[in-house]
């Protein structure tokens, strides 16, 4: 890899190149800033437009159109959407599903990645491919049989008031974990391969059992990768509405994203209100993203630095 | 989960203490070790098989049946009939294939390279990186409902932002971006690119962070300009990330569903916006369920995606083996 990149340079060019690059730097930076700021603004316009819509009273936009100067701006739509739709309840449903699903996914995929990347068993690659390919299956391929399976699967009453996996939080959590493990295993196994084998070798020689290597050495070293995956998985699982649509029967067990769809049906005539409701559902993922942002990028370093 | 664990910076044991056995060999794992590994790997494996692979196989079986989805005793085995019907006598099928191909080409040629380009620009040490980064990644954070709504109020023919800006507002000049079969696919592709670019940018930026800066310096010393450095040095060296991005792009294009579902107004594929994923849902969830039919389309989609994916994965893993 390095060999091709560093042939000894033609000597006369080398000293010349560096100051030249330095001199032209400030100007280039301005251009780059202009470009990046432009793209950023372009990317934000749709979101800002939705924000603007949500801040305006429906009567105003109905009379003057959306592309008009506002007569007044207020947070009224937000408080109306909050009060009328019972969003709190649906937020709580989302939390009940998202938190265990993300934690479970991270733990189990770390286990599989640990197994696949730290031990040389014959079926390692096959196992890794089975997990990775599983995540890549289109969800539509699974729905019919999965729906049937969930209807047949009995659960004790204290786990599910439907006595079935169908229409229970556990069912949603289970499919999320099974489905998302593939992606996380792929990323984590690449990450774990970059941890020098000597570290666990040493522990093994010292007689540390495998579970200690896993919990006390490998897991803590993977913390950046966990931060990155936790961000992505929280966003994906929280935002998912496909599985609850198929596997949850009663509306009041649905997470906030699919509940919003029904809000959209109910208040179809007031897009400003729906805009406010929709923007509110984005708040939790925004919080997760901003909280973990610092580690997010560094953790995603998919083993490319080796 | 991780926060409960202390991070002991384990000192690397001096080489002298390493055992003479070849590193990386499983060395007589004790019964307890095997049991531990068996449990922590067995549980997710079981979940994967039961919840993902078993239904996938069952779908495969169902594709050879005619079934209304109500009672299992009504399942009729009809062999390859669904497949031959789909290929010869199902009008939306070939348009859907075509749209999926357009989706793949569009995504691979525009937002993906643009995301990579943005990542490369952001990786230079400049100020405000995080602000730019956040703005461009933001669409990925939003839920489908938000994305759908946002583009709805942009594309709305009567009072949408887009028609307002281009002046198509007087009666008769309205452009109905989401209903015109010649336009709607492209309208949806723009919305999809809006999300995809940020995703690719973040993945690539992560790859660049792990890139050895010495390589870039060496290239600069050799007199390589920015473009040359990127194309000749950085891009080839980031093969693992490139593969991930190829897989992500291919998969997102093949199973494109969410944005089309929302912007197309729910179940029922609209003319101009047929996609394989929507046809499957139409047949399985729609009012008249043709489970066998939907499953057959699902199997076709599955085979296409598995071929693409396996090619990448095998390549990826083979290279890994060689490196070790």
């Amino acid at each position: 890899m390095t060999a091709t990149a560093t042939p000894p340079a033609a000597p006369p060019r080398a000293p010349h190149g560096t100051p030249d690059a330095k001199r032209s730097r400030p100007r280039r930076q301005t251009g780059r800033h202009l470009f990046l700021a432009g793209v950023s603004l372009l990317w934000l316009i749709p979101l800002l437009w939705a924000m603007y819509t949500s801040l305006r009273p429906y009567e105003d936009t109905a009379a003057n159109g959306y592309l008009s100067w506002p007569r007044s701006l207020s947070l009224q739509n937000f408080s109306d959407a909050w009060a009328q739709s019972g969003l709190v309840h649906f937020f709580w449903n989302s939390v009940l599903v998202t938190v265990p699903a993300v934690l479970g996914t991270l733990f189990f995929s770390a286990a599989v990645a640990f197994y696949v990347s730290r031990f040389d068993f014959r079926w390692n690659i096959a196992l890794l491919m089975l997990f990775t390919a599983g995540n890549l299956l289109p969800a539509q391929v699974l729905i019919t049989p999965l729906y049937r399976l969930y209807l047949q699967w009995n659960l004790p009453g204290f786990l599910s008031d439907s006595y079935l996996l169908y229409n229970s939080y556990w069912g949603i959590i289970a499919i999320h974990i099974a489905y998302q493990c593939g992606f996380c295993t792929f990323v984590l196994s690449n990450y774990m391969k970059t941890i020098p084998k000597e570290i666990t070798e040493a522990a093994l020689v010292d007689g540390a059992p495998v579970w200690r290597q896993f919990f006390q050495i490998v897991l803590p070293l993977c913390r950046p990768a966990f931060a990155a995956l936790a961000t992505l998985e929280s966003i994906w699982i929280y935002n998912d509405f496909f599985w609850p649509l198929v596997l949850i029967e009663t509306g009041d067990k649905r997470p906030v994203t699919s509940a919003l769809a029904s809000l959209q049906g109910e208040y179809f005539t007031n897009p400003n209100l729906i805009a406010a409701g929709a923007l509110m559902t984005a708040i939790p993922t925004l919080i997760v993203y901003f909280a973990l942002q610092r580690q997010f990028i560094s953790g995603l370093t998919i083993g490319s630095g080796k | 989960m991780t926060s409960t664990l202390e991070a002991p910076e384990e000192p690397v044991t001096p080489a002298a203490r390493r055992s003479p056995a070849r590193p990386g060999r499983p060395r007589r794992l004790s019964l307890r070790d095997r049991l531990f590994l068996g449990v922590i790997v067995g549980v997710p494996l079981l979940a994967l098989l039961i919840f993902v692979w078993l239904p996938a196989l069952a779908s495969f079986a169902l594709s050879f049946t005619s079934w209304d989805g109500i009672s299992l005793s009504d399942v009729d085995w009809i062999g390859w009939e669904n497949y031959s019907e789909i290929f010869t006598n199902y009008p939306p099928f070939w348009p859907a294939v075509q749209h999926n191909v357009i989706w793949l080409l569009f995504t691979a040629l525009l937002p993906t390279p643009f995301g990579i380009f943005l990542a490369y620009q952001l990786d230079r040490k400049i100020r405000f990186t995080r602000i730019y980064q956040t703005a461009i990644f933001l669409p990925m954070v939003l839920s489908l409902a938000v994305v759908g709504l946002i583009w709805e109020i942009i594309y709305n023919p009567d009072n949408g932002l887009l028609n307002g800006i281009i002046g198509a507002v007087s009666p008769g000049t309205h452009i109905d971006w989401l209903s015109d079969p010649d336009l709607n696919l492209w309208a949806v592709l723009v919305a999809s690119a809006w999300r995809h670019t940020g995703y690719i940018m973040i993945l690539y930026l992560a790859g660049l962070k792990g890139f050895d800066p010495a390589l870039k310096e060496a290239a600069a010393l050799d007199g390589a300009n920015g473009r040359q450095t990127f194309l000749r040095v950085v891009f080839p060296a980031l093969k693992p990330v490139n593969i991930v991005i190829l897989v992500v792009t291919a998969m997102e294009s093949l199973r494109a569903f969410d944005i089309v579902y929302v912007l197309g107004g729910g179940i029922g594929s609209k003319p101009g916006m047929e996609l394989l994923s929507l046809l499957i849902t139409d047949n399985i969830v729609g009012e008249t369920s043709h489970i066998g039919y939907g499953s057959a389309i699902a199997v076709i989609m599955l085979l296409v995606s598995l071929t693409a994916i396996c090619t990448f994965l095998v390549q990826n893993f083979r290279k890994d083996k060689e490196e070790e």
Side-chain angles (χ1 to χ4, degrees), chain A residues 83-112:
Chain A
Q84 289 173 27
S85 60
L87 277 179
V88 198
H89 173 73
F90 295 114
F91 268 128
W92 181 239
N93 287 348
S94 286
V95 172
L96 281 182
V97 168
T98 308
V99 172
V102 171
L103 293 182
T105 304
L106 290 183
F107 177 77
F108 285 123
S109 52
V112 179

mmCIF file of all heavy atoms in Angstrom, chain A residues 83-112:
data_model
loop_
_atom_site.group_PDB
_atom_site.id
_atom_site.type_symbol
_atom_site.label_atom_id
_atom_site.label_comp_id
_atom_site.label_asym_id
_atom_site.label_seq_id
_atom_site.Cartn_x
_atom_site.Cartn_y
_atom_site.Cartn_z
ATOM 1 N N ALA A 83 -50.722 18.529 22.149
ATOM 2 C CA ALA A 83 -51.901 18.295 22.978
ATOM 3 C C ALA A 83 -52.902 17.365 22.283
ATOM 4 O O ALA A 83 -53.495 16.500 22.925
ATOM 5 C CB ALA A 83 -52.584 19.633 23.302
ATOM 6 N N GLN A 84 -53.071 17.543 20.995
ATOM 7 C CA GLN A 84 -54.154 16.826 20.326
ATOM 8 C C GLN A 84 -53.821 15.386 19.977
ATOM 9 O O GLN A 84 -54.701 14.555 19.824
ATOM 10 C CB GLN A 84 -54.543 17.559 19.029
ATOM 11 C CG GLN A 84 -55.255 18.869 19.298
ATOM 12 C CD GLN A 84 -55.464 19.651 18.027
ATOM 13 O OE1 GLN A 84 -55.552 19.071 16.941
ATOM 14 N NE2 GLN A 84 -55.538 20.954 18.142
ATOM 15 N N SER A 85 -52.563 15.078 19.807
ATOM 16 C CA SER A 85 -52.254 13.767 19.247
ATOM 17 C C SER A 85 -51.782 12.760 20.288
ATOM 18 O O SER A 85 -51.546 11.602 19.957
ATOM 19 C CB SER A 85 -51.161 13.922 18.197
ATOM 20 O OG SER A 85 -50.021 14.473 18.824
ATOM 21 N N GLY A 86 -51.630 13.187 21.521
ATOM 22 C CA GLY A 86 -51.128 12.258 22.531
ATOM 23 C C GLY A 86 -49.715 11.796 22.213
ATOM 24 O O GLY A 86 -49.359 10.635 22.412
ATOM 25 N N LEU A 87 -48.904 12.710 21.702
ATOM 26 C CA LEU A 87 -47.553 12.324 21.286
ATOM 27 C C LEU A 87 -46.723 11.725 22.408
ATOM 28 O O LEU A 87 -45.893 10.859 22.178
ATOM 29 C CB LEU A 87 -46.825 13.543 20.701
ATOM 30 C CG LEU A 87 -47.098 13.871 19.234
ATOM 31 C CD1 LEU A 87 -46.327 15.096 18.814
ATOM 32 C CD2 LEU A 87 -46.732 12.694 18.343
ATOM 33 N N VAL A 88 -46.956 12.176 23.648
ATOM 34 C CA VAL A 88 -46.173 11.682 24.785
ATOM 35 C C VAL A 88 -46.237 10.166 24.850
ATOM 36 O O VAL A 88 -45.221 9.473 24.988
ATOM 37 C CB VAL A 88 -46.720 12.231 26.120
ATOM 38 C CG1 VAL A 88 -45.675 12.100 27.208
ATOM 39 C CG2 VAL A 88 -47.180 13.657 25.969
ATOM 40 N N HIS A 89 -47.467 9.672 24.745
ATOM 41 C CA HIS A 89 -47.692 8.239 24.827
ATOM 42 C C HIS A 89 -46.913 7.496 23.742
ATOM 43 O O HIS A 89 -46.253 6.479 23.999
ATOM 44 C CB HIS A 89 -49.202 7.988 24.681
ATOM 45 C CG HIS A 89 -49.558 6.551 24.586
ATOM 46 N ND1 HIS A 89 -49.513 5.705 25.678
ATOM 47 C CD2 HIS A 89 -49.944 5.799 23.530
ATOM 48 C CE1 HIS A 89 -49.868 4.501 25.296
ATOM 49 N NE2 HIS A 89 -50.141 4.522 23.994
ATOM 50 N N PHE A 90 -46.967 8.024 22.514
ATOM 51 C CA PHE A 90 -46.288 7.346 21.411
ATOM 52 C C PHE A 90 -44.774 7.475 21.515
ATOM 53 O O PHE A 90 -44.037 6.566 21.131
ATOM 54 C CB PHE A 90 -46.792 7.892 20.074
ATOM 55 C CG PHE A 90 -48.233 7.600 19.840
ATOM 56 C CD1 PHE A 90 -49.168 8.620 19.790
ATOM 57 C CD2 PHE A 90 -48.676 6.300 19.693
ATOM 58 C CE1 PHE A 90 -50.500 8.349 19.580
ATOM 59 C CE2 PHE A 90 -50.012 6.012 19.492
ATOM 60 C CZ PHE A 90 -50.926 7.041 19.435
ATOM 61 N N PHE A 91 -44.313 8.591 22.063
ATOM 62 C CA PHE A 91 -42.879 8.735 22.336
ATOM 63 C C PHE A 91 -42.417 7.638 23.278
ATOM 64 O O PHE A 91 -41.380 7.020 23.081
ATOM 65 C CB PHE A 91 -42.582 10.101 22.971
ATOM 66 C CG PHE A 91 -42.235 11.167 21.973
ATOM 67 C CD1 PHE A 91 -42.890 12.384 21.967
ATOM 68 C CD2 PHE A 91 -41.225 10.956 21.046
ATOM 69 C CE1 PHE A 91 -42.566 13.368 21.048
ATOM 70 C CE2 PHE A 91 -40.894 11.937 20.127
ATOM 71 C CZ PHE A 91 -41.574 13.140 20.127
ATOM 72 N N TRP A 92 -43.231 7.398 24.287
ATOM 73 C CA TRP A 92 -42.883 6.381 25.280
ATOM 74 C C TRP A 92 -42.819 5.008 24.614
ATOM 75 O O TRP A 92 -41.911 4.215 24.892
ATOM 76 C CB TRP A 92 -43.888 6.418 26.431
ATOM 77 C CG TRP A 92 -43.600 5.427 27.499
ATOM 78 C CD1 TRP A 92 -44.417 4.430 27.944
ATOM 79 C CD2 TRP A 92 -42.394 5.329 28.289
ATOM 80 N NE1 TRP A 92 -43.804 3.721 28.938
ATOM 81 C CE2 TRP A 92 -42.563 4.248 29.170
ATOM 82 C CE3 TRP A 92 -41.189 6.052 28.317
ATOM 83 C CZ2 TRP A 92 -41.580 3.858 30.079
ATOM 84 C CZ3 TRP A 92 -40.200 5.664 29.215
ATOM 85 C CH2 TRP A 92 -40.405 4.598 30.083
ATOM 86 N N ASN A 93 -43.768 4.696 23.728
ATOM 87 C CA ASN A 93 -43.708 3.442 22.973
ATOM 88 C C ASN A 93 -42.396 3.319 22.215
ATOM 89 O O ASN A 93 -41.766 2.260 22.188
ATOM 90 C CB ASN A 93 -44.859 3.370 21.953
ATOM 91 C CG ASN A 93 -46.190 3.112 22.608
ATOM 92 O OD1 ASN A 93 -46.248 2.760 23.782
ATOM 93 N ND2 ASN A 93 -47.255 3.297 21.859
ATOM 94 N N SER A 94 -41.992 4.418 21.606
ATOM 95 C CA SER A 94 -40.740 4.399 20.841
ATOM 96 C C SER A 94 -39.551 4.113 21.744
ATOM 97 O O SER A 94 -38.658 3.355 21.379
ATOM 98 C CB SER A 94 -40.522 5.743 20.146
ATOM 99 O OG SER A 94 -41.389 5.868 19.059
ATOM 100 N N VAL A 95 -39.561 4.718 22.927
ATOM 101 C CA VAL A 95 -38.465 4.485 23.871
ATOM 102 C C VAL A 95 -38.435 3.015 24.278
ATOM 103 O O VAL A 95 -37.381 2.373 24.297
ATOM 104 C CB VAL A 95 -38.633 5.391 25.115
ATOM 105 C CG1 VAL A 95 -37.627 5.014 26.188
ATOM 106 C CG2 VAL A 95 -38.474 6.847 24.724
ATOM 107 N N LEU A 96 -39.615 2.457 24.585
ATOM 108 C CA LEU A 96 -39.699 1.060 25.031
ATOM 109 C C LEU A 96 -39.142 0.094 23.986
ATOM 110 O O LEU A 96 -38.645 -0.973 24.331
ATOM 111 C CB LEU A 96 -41.165 0.686 25.305
ATOM 112 C CG LEU A 96 -41.739 1.175 26.629
ATOM 113 C CD1 LEU A 96 -43.175 0.690 26.788
ATOM 114 C CD2 LEU A 96 -40.891 0.679 27.792
ATOM 115 N N VAL A 97 -39.251 0.457 22.737
ATOM 116 C CA VAL A 97 -38.735 -0.419 21.689
ATOM 117 C C VAL A 97 -37.277 -0.092 21.376
ATOM 118 O O VAL A 97 -36.431 -0.978 21.293
ATOM 119 C CB VAL A 97 -39.594 -0.297 20.404
ATOM 120 C CG1 VAL A 97 -38.912 -0.969 19.235
ATOM 121 C CG2 VAL A 97 -40.957 -0.906 20.640
ATOM 122 N N THR A 98 -36.971 1.200 21.249
ATOM 123 C CA THR A 98 -35.662 1.590 20.741
ATOM 124 C C THR A 98 -34.528 1.255 21.711
ATOM 125 O O THR A 98 -33.503 0.703 21.301
ATOM 126 C CB THR A 98 -35.635 3.105 20.421
ATOM 127 O OG1 THR A 98 -36.750 3.404 19.583
ATOM 128 C CG2 THR A 98 -34.367 3.480 19.712
ATOM 129 N N VAL A 99 -34.711 1.571 22.989
ATOM 130 C CA VAL A 99 -33.604 1.380 23.931
ATOM 131 C C VAL A 99 -33.178 -0.090 24.024
ATOM 132 O O VAL A 99 -32.000 -0.408 23.793
ATOM 133 C CB VAL A 99 -33.961 1.977 25.315
ATOM 134 C CG1 VAL A 99 -32.905 1.615 26.336
ATOM 135 C CG2 VAL A 99 -34.104 3.481 25.199
ATOM 136 N N PRO A 100 -34.099 -1.030 24.321
ATOM 137 C CA PRO A 100 -33.652 -2.425 24.370
ATOM 138 C C PRO A 100 -33.138 -2.931 23.024
ATOM 139 O O PRO A 100 -32.163 -3.694 22.986
ATOM 140 C CB PRO A 100 -34.914 -3.211 24.745
ATOM 141 C CG PRO A 100 -35.923 -2.233 25.130
ATOM 142 C CD PRO A 100 -35.534 -0.898 24.605
ATOM 143 N N ALA A 101 -33.749 -2.487 21.953
ATOM 144 C CA ALA A 101 -33.318 -2.982 20.646
ATOM 145 C C ALA A 101 -31.896 -2.526 20.328
ATOM 146 O O ALA A 101 -31.079 -3.314 19.849
ATOM 147 C CB ALA A 101 -34.281 -2.518 19.554
ATOM 148 N N VAL A 102 -31.585 -1.269 20.629
ATOM 149 C CA VAL A 102 -30.228 -0.778 20.344
ATOM 150 C C VAL A 102 -29.207 -1.481 21.237
ATOM 151 O O VAL A 102 -28.173 -1.961 20.773
ATOM 152 C CB VAL A 102 -30.150 0.753 20.524
ATOM 153 C CG1 VAL A 102 -28.718 1.231 20.451
ATOM 154 C CG2 VAL A 102 -30.979 1.453 19.468
ATOM 155 N N LEU A 103 -29.518 -1.571 22.531
ATOM 156 C CA LEU A 103 -28.572 -2.223 23.447
ATOM 157 C C LEU A 103 -28.367 -3.684 23.061
ATOM 158 O O LEU A 103 -27.239 -4.182 23.026
ATOM 159 C CB LEU A 103 -29.072 -2.116 24.885
ATOM 160 C CG LEU A 103 -29.083 -0.699 25.465
ATOM 161 C CD1 LEU A 103 -29.553 -0.720 26.912
ATOM 162 C CD2 LEU A 103 -27.688 -0.070 25.380
ATOM 163 N N GLY A 104 -29.460 -4.372 22.779
ATOM 164 C CA GLY A 104 -29.366 -5.779 22.402
ATOM 165 C C GLY A 104 -28.563 -5.962 21.126
ATOM 166 O O GLY A 104 -27.687 -6.831 21.053
ATOM 167 N N THR A 105 -28.840 -5.125 20.156
ATOM 168 C CA THR A 105 -28.114 -5.222 18.889
ATOM 169 C C THR A 105 -26.620 -5.032 19.112
ATOM 170 O O THR A 105 -25.810 -5.816 18.625
ATOM 171 C CB THR A 105 -28.625 -4.150 17.906
ATOM 172 O OG1 THR A 105 -30.031 -4.308 17.746
ATOM 173 C CG2 THR A 105 -27.958 -4.292 16.569
ATOM 174 N N LEU A 106 -26.266 -4.009 19.890
ATOM 175 C CA LEU A 106 -24.846 -3.731 20.100
ATOM 176 C C LEU A 106 -24.179 -4.880 20.840
ATOM 177 O O LEU A 106 -23.090 -5.325 20.475
ATOM 178 C CB LEU A 106 -24.660 -2.419 20.875
ATOM 179 C CG LEU A 106 -25.005 -1.160 20.098
ATOM 180 C CD1 LEU A 106 -24.703 0.069 20.935
ATOM 181 C CD2 LEU A 106 -24.226 -1.096 18.795
ATOM 182 N N PHE A 107 -24.835 -5.393 21.874
ATOM 183 C CA PHE A 107 -24.214 -6.459 22.655
ATOM 184 C C PHE A 107 -24.012 -7.712 21.806
ATOM 185 O O PHE A 107 -22.914 -8.266 21.736
ATOM 186 C CB PHE A 107 -25.065 -6.792 23.882
ATOM 187 C CG PHE A 107 -24.484 -7.938 24.675
ATOM 188 C CD1 PHE A 107 -23.397 -7.736 25.499
ATOM 189 C CD2 PHE A 107 -25.011 -9.211 24.556
ATOM 190 C CE1 PHE A 107 -22.843 -8.793 26.208
ATOM 191 C CE2 PHE A 107 -24.464 -10.271 25.261
ATOM 192 C CZ PHE A 107 -23.375 -10.060 26.085
ATOM 193 N N PHE A 108 -25.076 -8.149 21.158
ATOM 194 C CA PHE A 108 -24.977 -9.408 20.427
ATOM 195 C C PHE A 108 -24.061 -9.298 19.215
ATOM 196 O O PHE A 108 -23.309 -10.230 18.911
ATOM 197 C CB PHE A 108 -26.362 -9.901 20.014
ATOM 198 C CG PHE A 108 -27.134 -10.477 21.157
ATOM 199 C CD1 PHE A 108 -28.377 -9.975 21.514
ATOM 200 C CD2 PHE A 108 -26.608 -11.523 21.897
ATOM 201 C CE1 PHE A 108 -29.079 -10.498 22.575
ATOM 202 C CE2 PHE A 108 -27.306 -12.058 22.972
ATOM 203 C CZ PHE A 108 -28.544 -11.549 23.310
ATOM 204 N N SER A 109 -24.115 -8.148 18.539
ATOM 205 C CA SER A 109 -23.236 -8.056 17.374
ATOM 206 C C SER A 109 -21.785 -7.959 17.826
ATOM 207 O O SER A 109 -20.896 -8.473 17.143
ATOM 208 C CB SER A 109 -23.622 -6.882 16.487
ATOM 209 O OG SER A 109 -23.709 -5.717 17.244
ATOM 210 N N ALA A 110 -21.549 -7.360 18.980
ATOM 211 C CA ALA A 110 -20.183 -7.346 19.504
ATOM 212 C C ALA A 110 -19.712 -8.764 19.786
ATOM 213 O O ALA A 110 -18.571 -9.123 19.506
ATOM 214 C CB ALA A 110 -20.107 -6.498 20.770
ATOM 215 N N ALA A 111 -20.625 -9.592 20.328
ATOM 216 C CA ALA A 111 -20.262 -10.973 20.631
ATOM 217 C C ALA A 111 -19.903 -11.729 19.359
ATOM 218 O O ALA A 111 -18.864 -12.403 19.290
ATOM 219 C CB ALA A 111 -21.418 -11.665 21.355
ATOM 220 N N VAL A 112 -20.747 -11.588 18.351
ATOM 221 C CA VAL A 112 -20.474 -12.315 17.110
ATOM 222 C C VAL A 112 -19.194 -11.780 16.462
ATOM 223 O O VAL A 112 -18.354 -12.558 15.996
ATOM 224 C CB VAL A 112 -21.671 -12.183 16.131
ATOM 225 C CG1 VAL A 112 -21.370 -12.911 14.833
ATOM 226 C CG2 VAL A 112 -22.926 -12.744 16.751
#
